[in-house]
Amino acid sequence: MARPTQQTHDEILAAATRRFAATGYRGTSLQDIAREVGCSKAAVLYHFANKEAILTELMAPAIEVLQALDDRIAAQDDPARAQQVATEGFVDLAVRFRGEIALLRGEFPELLQQPDFAHIHEISERLIAALAGRSSRDSARICALVLLAGIAETCGQFAEVSDEDLRAALLALLRRALEPVH
């Protein structure tokens, strides 16, 4: 008996998540995903145009929240307020989507080159600027970038830590490490 279409679609996404976690995005083929689902590669391609389309759907909720955060930051005229919104918003995003972030650890630079993710680089630049208090000083921007990358790495490493504890620790770190805006 054939599986319902939505069930197969969801099983492909779940299998892709497991495969990406085990062997990385680059290390996973459509055939690997099909094998794990127990279907043909053609069946996977019926549901998704390519591997990038699978990743795009997996990451869509996190990207939507990131875009909303970008909009909230852009609405801030005061650099100190923009820094606060960026700090709290990015930590909330990273904690909420830590599973998705963990799937892509070490592969972000390559993934940002793909057309469906090109806009993420621009959002990241604006997020770094906000965390740096909209300062043009290299030291502030370097600190912001290191913290951003470190948060992503940390969220993937501490799956056993509760969301509340992780959020509190990350916010405390950012508040200590970021230069205050005057």
Side-chain angles (χ1 to χ4, degrees), residues 2-30:
R3 291 179 279 217
T5 301
Q6 186 60 48
Q7 179 183 349
T8 302
H9 183 91
D10 294 345
E11 288 175 3
I12 291 168
L13 289 173
T17 299
R18 289 189 297 274
R19 297 303 313 155
F20 294 164
T23 59
Y25 176 77
R26 286 183 302 237
T28 300
S29 70
L30 289 175

Side-chain angles (χ1 to χ4, degrees), residues 84-147:
Q84 180 184 1
V85 169
T87 298
E88 293 173 5
F90 186 71
V91 166
D92 289 344
L93 180 144
V95 170
R96 178 177 171 190
F97 295 104
R98 62 174 142 168
E100 289 84 346
I101 292 169
L103 293 178
L104 304 175
R105 283 191 357 246
E107 299 188 70
F108 280 116
E110 178 182 319
L111 294 173
L112 291 177
Q113 302 303 313
Q114 296 183 13
D116 285 348
F117 297 102
H119 67 292
I120 302 301
H121 180 72
E122 296 165 5
I123 293 173
S124 297
E125 286 298 317
R126 290 189 294 271
L127 183 57
I128 290 166
L131 288 173
R134 296 186 175 148
S135 170
S136 60
R137 287 189 331 277
D138 288 341
S139 61
R141 294 185 51 75
I142 290 168
C143 179
L145 176 59
V146 167
L147 290 168

Side-chain angles (χ1 to χ4, degrees), residues 70-93:
D70 187 42
D71 293 342
R72 288 196 326 270
I73 292 168
Q76 305 304 315
D77 292 330
D78 176 30
R81 179 71 182 130
Q83 186 182 55
Q84 180 184 1
V85 169
T87 298
E88 293 173 5
F90 186 71
V91 166
D92 289 344
L93 180 144

